[in-house]
Amino acid sequence: MDWKKKAITLLEDSLYPIPTELNELDWKCALSTKTERLAEHLCAFSNYKGGGILVFGINNDGSFTPLTKTDIDNIIQKLGNIAHNNLSSSISIEHAVLTYQEHSMLFIYIPEQSDKPIHKKGSNMFDAYTRSAGSTIKMSRSQIKSLIADSQGTPFEKRHAKQNLTVKQVLTLLNYRKLYQILDKTIPNNTQIVMELLVTLGYCTESLDAGKWDITNLGALLFANDIKDFEELSSHSVIVRIYEGNNNLKLLHEQIGTYGYAIGFDGLIDYVMKHSSTENIKVARILQPTYPLIAIREFIANALVHQDFSIPGMAVTIEIFKDRIVITNPGSPLGDINRLIDMPPLSRNEQLAQAMFFLRYCERRGSGIDRAVEAIEQMLLPAVKFTKNALYTRIFLYPRKRISDMTKQEKVMACYQHACLSYESNNPINNLSVRERFGLDKNKSAVASRIISDTLEAHLIKVSDESITSKKYATYVPYYV
């Protein structure tokens, strides 16, 4: 896609339904006098996958502000000088004045650079910047090392977790028996055949030293008998914390995962389901699930696959409170957080995602979150809440509550997610479907109408057919249709 067309699309995505800056696009109302900060923005977009765009003529609240020709000329000249003189390498930037909703704005396109990291001139490479959660931030040393490896064509999963090992050491560190169990295959007596399978799946490579082997990050993450045996990966264990009430003041139990993800995944899911369920003793002492298994499984798998391994000291964390479950993974989402249901996911760790799918721990591409949200709807639970900041993505799941106890925002988001799911099945929503979503009787149509009206007011849905003027027959689709 031409960068100018992409710029308009990104601008629209940033303004609706809720104005918020994106990783790929930064609003500016005027030219800053701080040359250093402008250089940081150019560095950040140069290091960011796909590059990015500065758009001048928009205030911090998403409203438009006019630009004069003098303003435009000064911005182009100053940014051009910074791009040429103030960075570790001179970069080329492009500009265009484009019209959106009758407002003329200046767009500055900064392409991703192949030779990364780009940093400010006069400093070392560890003074580099990137984009995260719509902001320009300084990169950690781990992020910079990862960026260099990526620019050299070596993704995280292919890098070596341990090197120069004997066959015996490899088969001691990795649980190959679990791999054969998952694949429903008989373990061969010949260890060479086992090693060939590990190499084929990308879990090992032959070392430069004859007769020795290297375990990849992918192999260690999935099949480590003890993740602490791999120093660089030891901070990526999954942590589960269980609290007594609705806050984190009293921790009842903390479990830090030992095994690789493939070995421990089923046990992890069972553990979370057990400790988030309620006890039903009316007939027999059984555990009644508070949350759907599908949702717990998919959201945890999603957190594992999409975590940013370059952020140090942060693990995938699952926190179980009395009134919610919170799942956190390091790294801001790569796509729009309002479009997680309908858009194919942008994978941060493509090989890990493919491996989890191959091992049947993940759904096919793009269907996992859909299925999870659908399961939430079927249990009549409040909407899933997705949040982000520069360092993490966080998902909140809530137990069932009466509609009278839901906040207006909870009802609006449930209606919006219902519209997204329905549209994926080529069906608009209406008063009846919203009543079914919330478990409302026919005589509660006014309540459903109020929810639809509030969701329309939030610009999250729109009327699907403007020619239908009667609210009784009106249907609705997500705002992005």
Side-chain angles (χ1 to χ4, degrees):
M1 181 188 294
D2 176 75
W3 78 261
K4 297 172 189 175
K5 292 180 180 178
K6 181 180 179 182
I8 294 297
T9 300
L10 288 172
L11 176 62
E12 192 163 58
D13 288 345
S14 74
L15 294 174
Y16 300 101
I18 301 170
T20 180
E21 290 173 294
L22 308 176
N23 287 342
E24 304 92 336
L25 184 138
D26 199 345
W27 304 331
K28 298 294 176 189
C29 59
L31 183 65
S32 170
T33 58
K34 299 177 180 178
T35 300
E36 287 291 295
R37 187 55 179 165
L38 290 173
E40 289 168 6
H41 286 312
L42 296 187
C43 287
F45 285 124
S46 296
N47 293 325
Y48 189 73
K49 188 174 180 63
I53 296 163
L54 292 170
V55 54
F56 289 84
I58 302 185
N59 296 308
N60 289 336
D61 61 359
S63 61
F64 301 105
T65 186
L67 295 173
T68 66
K69 185 179 185 305
T70 301
D71 293 332
I72 292 171
D73 290 343
N74 289 339
I75 292 168
I76 293 170
Q77 182 178 10
K78 183 163 186 176
L79 289 179
N81 287 338
I82 293 172
H84 186 70
N85 301 315
N86 292 64
L87 307 183
S88 56
S89 298
S90 177
I91 66 170
S92 297
I93 61 177
E94 299 181 45
H95 69 272
V97 176
L98 305 174
T99 301
Y100 178 75
Q101 293 188 356
E102 300 181 357
H103 297 276
S104 294
M105 286 167 284
L106 173 63
F107 292 79
I108 305 291
Y109 172 55
I110 304 99
E112 177 188 5
Q113 301 300 300
S114 57
D115 187 16
K116 295 187 282 287
I118 299 295
H119 54 87
K120 291 185 291 184
K121 197 170 186 176
S123 61
N124 62 41
M125 69 176 180
F126 292 107
D127 191 23
Y129 293 78
T130 190
R131 296 284 294 177
S132 183
S135 301
T136 290
I137 64 168
K138 189 170 183 178
M139 300 175 75
S140 68
R141 284 180 171 262
S142 295
Q143 286 177 303
I144 292 169
K145 290 177 181 177
S146 179
L147 183 68
I148 293 170
D150 285 342
S151 68
Q152 293 173 345
T154 308
F156 175 82
E157 298 97 320
K158 283 189 174 182
R159 296 170 209 164
H160 296 144
K162 262 192 184 308
Q163 296 177 282
N164 298 322
L165 304 170
T166 64
V167 170
K168 183 178 180 180
Q169 287 175 314
V170 171
L171 299 184
T172 300
L173 290 166
L174 299 185
N175 193 334
Y176 67 95
R177 295 180 182 277
K178 181 66 175 180
L179 171 61
Y180 275 87
Q181 179 187 332
I182 293 170
L183 299 179
D184 195 23
K185 291 185 176 183
T186 302
I187 300 173
N189 294 323
N190 188 338
T191 56
Q192 187 61 36
I193 296 176
V194 176
M195 294 304 297
E196 288 174 2
L197 177 62
L198 295 179
V199 170
T200 299
L201 295 178
Y203 304 158
C204 285
T205 61
E206 291 191 59
S207 176
L208 293 176
D209 292 345
K212 295 296 183 70
W213 301 84
D214 303 330
I215 296 176
T216 64
N217 283 341
L218 180 63
L221 280 171
L222 291 173
F223 288 100
N225 277 312
D226 189 340
I227 201 74
K228 293 191 294 295
D229 289 332
F230 301 89
E231 185 177 352
E232 294 293 323
L233 302 177
S234 59
S235 64
H236 297 295
S237 299
V238 180
I239 301 173
V240 182
R241 297 190 180 105
I242 303 169
Y243 299 97
E244 183 176 62
N246 296 338
N247 56 49
N248 59 5
L249 295 179
K250 187 169 183 180
L251 178 65
L252 296 178
H253 187 67
E254 179 179 76
Q255 177 173 285
I256 300 176
T258 298
Y259 302 126
Y261 300 157
I263 301 173
F265 188 79
D266 287 334
L268 170 64
I269 302 304
D270 289 344
Y271 184 82
V272 172
M273 290 298 294
K274 176 183 176 182
H275 289 279
S276 63
S277 298
T278 56
E279 197 170 56
N280 186 342
I281 57 174
K282 288 183 179 179
V283 180
R285 190 176 292 274
I286 60 172
L287 290 177
Q288 189 74 32
T290 303
Y291 306 94
L293 173 61
I294 291 174
I296 295 295
R297 187 178 180 90
E298 291 301 330
F299 284 132
I300 291 177
N302 189 74
L304 295 176
V305 165
H306 293 290
Q307 64 182 300
D308 187 343
F309 289 104
S310 68
I311 297 177
M314 184 180 289
V316 171
T317 306
I318 303 152
E319 297 173 291
I320 303 174
F321 300 88
K322 184 178 179 180
D323 67 343
R324 67 194 184 280
I325 289 180
V326 183
I327 302 170
T328 305
N329 68 266
S332 181
L334 298 178
D336 184 349
I337 206 164
N338 291 314
R339 301 288 299 277
L340 295 179
I341 294 176
D342 72 291
M343 294 189 72
L346 298 171
S347 181
R348 182 177 273 116
N349 307 297
E350 180 61 30
Q351 292 187 28
L352 178 58
Q354 292 289 348
M356 291 288 279
F357 171 68
F358 173 72
L359 298 169
R360 298 188 286 277
Y361 289 124
C362 285
E363 282 296 312
R364 67 183 187 276
R365 291 292 295 261
S367 69
I369 288 183
D370 298 36
R371 279 170 49 84
V373 173
E374 182 181 40
I376 293 289
E377 282 205 353
Q378 289 172 350
M379 285 186 66
L380 303 180
L381 305 187
V384 183
K385 181 180 177 182
F386 302 97
T387 65
K388 67 175 182 177
N389 79 0
L391 293 177
Y392 63 77
T393 302
R394 187 165 282 166
I395 295 174
F396 296 78
L397 305 178
Y398 300 97
R400 187 169 180 177
K401 61 173 74 172
R402 293 177 300 181
I403 192 169
S404 58
D405 294 330
M406 290 187 189
T407 66
K408 177 182 175 180
Q409 182 64 16
E410 284 178 324
K411 287 180 277 193
V412 165
M413 289 310 298
C415 184
Y416 168 62
Q417 290 177 9
H418 173 58
C420 294
L421 279 179
S422 297
Y423 184 72
E424 289 302 292
S425 300
N426 204 29
N427 294 316
I429 66 170
N430 55 24
N431 189 285
L432 172 61
S433 73
V434 171
R435 291 203 312 269
E436 291 173 344
R437 164 61 182 94
F438 289 94
L440 298 173
D441 297 331
K442 186 176 181 180
N443 61 0
K444 297 290 186 180
S445 60
V447 176
S449 294
R450 179 73 262 172
I451 294 171
I452 291 172
S453 178
D454 289 340
T455 313
L456 282 166
E457 189 177 322
H459 304 293
L460 290 170
I461 60 172
K462 63 183 181 181
V463 176
S464 63
D465 188 346
E466 297 284 355
S467 66
I468 299 175
T469 56
S470 171
K471 286 189 176 181
K472 182 177 180 180
Y473 300 106
T475 58
Y476 308 88
V477 293
Y479 72 91
Y480 51 78
V481 175

